[in-house]
Amino acid sequence: MNRRLIGLMRKEFIQFFRDKALVLLILYTFVEIAICGWALTLEVRNMPIAVYDGDRSAESRALVDAFARLDNFRLVAQVDRPGDLDRLMDEGQVQFALVIPPDFSRDLQAGRTAQVQLLLDGSNSSIAGQAMAVTAGLLRDYNERIILARVERVGQGGHGFLPRVRNQIRIWYMPQLKYVHFIMLTMLAISVLLLGVLVPAAAIVREKEAGTFEQLMITPITGVELIAAKILPMILLKLVGLTIGVAMSMWLFGVPLRGSLWLFYGISVLMFLSSSGIGVLMGTIAQNMQQTLLLAFFILFPLAFLSGTMVPISNMPRAMQWLTYLSPLRYYVEAMLGIFLKGIGLEILWPQALALAIYGLALLGVSTLRFRRSLA
């Protein structure tokens, strides 16, 4: 091979390995692919469910055990009153509930059709549809077992009185199971994150590249004042953009708004503060626009897929589920779906609002400290 070509290639390798950020980014990209394969799946897996067993018989326990044995479901609560299921569904602690009436075993023993009620959270229609299919298969197997047991007990003559379990499915929040509603709301949430991070980061890096930071250093302006001056106007402009996105979602795609619009804007402001905190922190680290974009790729994709917008959080391995608490987008998506599709208020969504407020204050505090150092 040409010696000059070898020399040039050697130079490129040396320059590449001198840029530690670029090396780390390439390694991180392939590690991230492995993490996605491990954590991202659209199959129904470990869906949290709750049960109200009003019968408390051997037959009802067998049906509950049949649900608990499946990998698709994870039994997280057995309640004493059917009304408790409403609270668990509104808070998002469960996405599926099984209601067994008090006369369940009596109907089966008498050879009558027994009824059970299934409550499904339809805010993610794709997952709700898969859960319905899994449940239909489970009840079919359960029916076959009780029919076989009945035939063995009374003989073939009992065919005319074979008991069965019939399910009555109720889809909550989005009965029509329109996936476009879920997609529109989650895309809006991701847009809020992207704009909240990239706009302040780019504004700070632009100051660095233009060399105007040196001029700021000789003024009496403080780091807090400068960050506030950069963030607050941007938040107002982003709220205007968010209003346009909400209006398009509601009027063009029929996304319902069942909760308070003012509460939605209040939580959106907290989300803009949190994402702006990430953006300002990126701006204090990056020295130019290229580094800003690399950092954005490094940070934004994990925040997005850890939020539950791509796949349900319950589908992820337990370690990844803990990591989702680090993504502010998780809290914002939960609040947005709760306000638009479930119609719930601050009495239920206060943990999400509090988490976003703490997240934003902590990040803006760290960003301000770093900013002061760069101005000193």
Side-chain angles (χ1 to χ4, degrees):
M1 187 180 293
N2 189 303
R3 290 182 59 188
R4 286 179 301 193
L5 179 59
I6 293 174
L8 287 171
M9 290 172 63
R10 182 168 174 269
K11 177 186 77 68
E12 290 299 323
F13 274 118
I14 292 173
Q15 285 184 334
F16 171 77
F17 284 108
R18 278 179 179 167
D19 192 340
K20 298 292 189 300
L22 191 57
V23 174
L24 187 62
L25 175 67
I26 289 178
L27 292 175
Y28 170 74
T29 302
F30 288 103
V31 171
E32 196 170 57
I33 291 171
I35 292 174
C36 289
W38 181 43
L40 302 187
T41 174
L42 289 175
E43 298 172 359
V44 175
R45 187 192 297 172
N46 291 320
M47 174 183 271
I49 69 171
V51 172
Y52 166 70
D53 185 357
D55 191 48
R56 299 181 184 277
S57 63
E59 289 84 354
S60 64
R61 283 194 293 274
L63 182 59
V64 174
D65 289 343
F67 275 93
R69 279 197 298 272
L70 286 181
D71 292 337
N72 308 91
F73 302 114
R74 177 165 50 90
L75 181 60
V76 297
Q78 284 189 282
V79 300
D80 296 325
R81 297 177 305 165
D84 291 340
L85 297 174
D86 299 3
R87 177 181 54 80
L88 293 173
M89 294 280 281
D90 284 345
E91 292 176 352
Q93 295 188 40
V94 299
Q95 296 170 283
F96 180 99
L98 170 65
V99 180
I100 302 176
D103 53 358
F104 177 77
S105 60
R106 190 174 57 205
D107 286 343
L108 288 180
Q109 290 165 8
R112 295 191 293 266
T113 298
Q115 300 276 351
V116 295
Q117 189 177 45
L118 307 172
L119 307 176
L120 271 166
D121 181 351
S123 56
N124 187 334
S125 59
S126 173
I127 297 301
Q130 291 185 51
M132 288 169 59
V134 172
T135 303
L138 182 147
L139 289 178
R140 186 172 58 247
D141 294 342
Y142 184 81
N143 278 332
E144 288 176 356
R145 283 200 300 274
I146 59 177
I147 289 172
L148 184 61
R150 175 81 172 187
V151 169
E152 289 176 349
R153 193 165 57 248
V154 302
Q156 295 294 328
H159 258 306
F161 304 99
L162 292 180
R164 293 176 187 275
V165 174
R166 180 176 297 166
N167 58 313
Q168 179 189 10
I169 298 177
R170 286 184 57 196
I171 309 293
W172 282 24
Y173 311 128
M174 196 162 60
Q176 65 276 38
L177 292 179
K178 285 190 174 179
Y179 192 57
V180 67
H181 293 176
F182 176 79
I183 284 291
M184 287 303 298
L185 292 175
T186 52
M187 288 299 104
L188 266 179
I190 291 176
S191 300
V192 168
L193 174 69
L194 291 178
L195 289 175
V197 170
L198 291 178
V199 172
I204 292 174
V205 171
R206 193 166 53 241
E207 295 267 10
K208 288 183 178 178
E209 289 182 329
T212 49
F213 263 147
E214 288 76 7
Q215 299 173 10
L216 293 172
M217 290 166 68
I218 60 174
T219 66
I221 193 170
T222 65
V224 175
E225 291 170 335
L226 186 56
I227 288 178
K230 285 194 174 295
I231 286 179
L232 294 179
M234 292 297 116
I235 288 180
L236 291 176
L237 291 175
K238 285 180 276 191
L239 284 174
V240 174
L242 180 63
T243 302
I244 295 172
V246 170
M248 288 176 57
S249 301
M250 294 176 63
W251 291 334
L252 297 182
F253 298 95
V255 176
L257 173 62
R258 300 193 173 101
S260 166
L261 190 61
W262 292 112
L263 176 61
F264 168 68
Y265 276 109
I267 292 180
S268 295
V269 169
L270 294 177
M271 179 61 192
F272 276 129
L273 285 175
S274 299
S275 53
S276 297
I278 299 173
V280 173
L281 189 60
M282 282 173 48
T284 61
I285 295 171
Q287 298 302 316
N288 51 52
M289 202 59 76
Q290 184 182 13
Q291 290 184 3
T292 305
L293 294 176
L294 289 176
L295 276 173
F297 177 77
F298 193 84
I299 293 173
L300 290 178
F301 185 68
L303 291 182
F305 85 72
L306 287 173
S307 65
T309 54
M310 298 181 184
V311 297
I313 292 173
S314 58
N315 276 16
M316 301 178 186
R318 186 54 59 90
M320 299 294 290
Q321 291 184 26
W322 282 108
L323 286 177
T324 61
Y325 290 105
L326 298 177
S327 172
L329 191 57
R330 169 192 171 136
Y331 308 108
Y332 187 54
V333 168
E334 289 176 351
M336 181 180 272
L337 294 177
I339 293 170
F340 276 86
L341 300 182
K342 297 182 180 180
I344 55 181
L346 191 60
E347 69 279 4
I348 291 177
L349 293 175
W350 68 265
Q352 285 79 7
L354 181 63
L356 285 174
I358 293 173
Y359 207 104
L361 288 174
L363 281 171
L364 287 173
V366 173
S367 305
T368 304
L369 289 175
R370 283 191 57 86
F371 208 73
R372 280 179 178 168
R373 287 181 191 169
S374 62
L375 289 176

